[in-house]
Amino acid sequence: MKYSKKVMKLYLQQKYQNRKIDIIVTQSVSAAALLTEFYGFFPDVPKIYLEPGANFTVPESINTVTINAKLDYKQATQDAVNLINPKELIVILDTTNDMGRNFYQNLLPVIGNDFPHLRIEKWFDVPTETLINK
C-alpha cells in the first residue's frame, strides 16, 4: 500500500475511532478499490460498493452489498435501508458533474417518496476542506 493510502486509512480510523459507524458506502471504481485495500478497516461495519466497476471482486464479507450501474434506485435504496435500518441519511453529492446530477435527479425523489421516515441531511457541492471539517 502506498504511503498516502496508509495515511488516509490512519486518518479515517483516528477520526472515527470514537464514533459509531453504521455503514460505509463507496461510489466509483477507485473508491471501491481503495476500501478493499484497507484490510481490517472497520471490519464489522456493513459496506455498500456502488458502481465498483465490471472487474471488481467483492471482498468476502457477510456485510457487503454491490450495486452496479443502471441500478434500480428504489431497490438499491431499499437494500441499503434494510441493511442497517437508519433514521437519517447524509447525502454527499457533487452536483457539478453528470454522476452527481444523476444521483440528485434519480435517488433523492425515491428517498423522499418511498422513505419519508428518513431524515435527510444534504451536503451538496461542499468543498473538500469543509467536508473534512464536518
Side-chain angles (χ1 to χ4, degrees):
M1 188 183 312
K2 291 181 181 177
Y3 178 75
S4 61
K5 291 178 186 175
K6 287 181 182 178
V7 170
M8 177 59 93
K9 179 180 178 181
L10 290 172
Y11 167 76
L12 292 171
Q13 285 175 319
Q14 255 185 341
K15 181 172 179 153
Y16 295 105
Q17 70 182 348
N18 296 320
R19 296 180 74 184
K20 182 181 182 311
I21 303 296
D22 297 315
I23 192 166
I24 297 172
V25 180
T26 68
Q27 183 195 7
S28 79
V29 174
S30 58
L34 182 66
L35 185 59
T36 59
E37 290 183 36
F38 289 175
Y39 178 78
F41 188 74
F42 297 105
D44 298 327
V45 176
K47 296 170 182 71
I48 295 178
Y49 296 92
L50 182 59
E51 298 180 352
N55 298 324
F56 181 71
T57 302
V58 179
E60 290 186 26
S61 171
I62 57 171
N63 291 331
T64 300
V65 174
T66 300
I67 303 171
N68 287 304
K70 299 193 185 214
L71 59 93
D72 176 338
Y73 285 95
K74 183 174 181 176
Q75 186 61 52
T77 305
Q78 184 65 56
D79 289 346
V81 168
N82 288 340
L83 187 62
I84 63 160
N85 195 24
K87 292 184 174 76
E88 67 178 332
L89 295 174
I90 298 173
V91 180
I92 303 170
L93 285 177
D94 175 4
T95 62
T96 63
N97 65 52
D98 290 339
M99 188 179 295
R101 280 191 297 277
N102 185 40
F103 258 69
Y104 179 76
Q105 293 168 346
N106 293 297
L107 180 62
L108 288 180
V110 167
I111 293 170
N113 292 332
D114 296 356
F115 307 96
H117 66 284
L118 294 177
R119 189 175 73 79
I120 301 172
E121 192 169 327
K122 299 175 184 174
W123 297 0
F124 292 176
D125 306 319
V126 177
T128 303
E129 186 174 318
T130 305
L131 268 178
I132 289 170
N133 291 329
K134 279 189 163 198

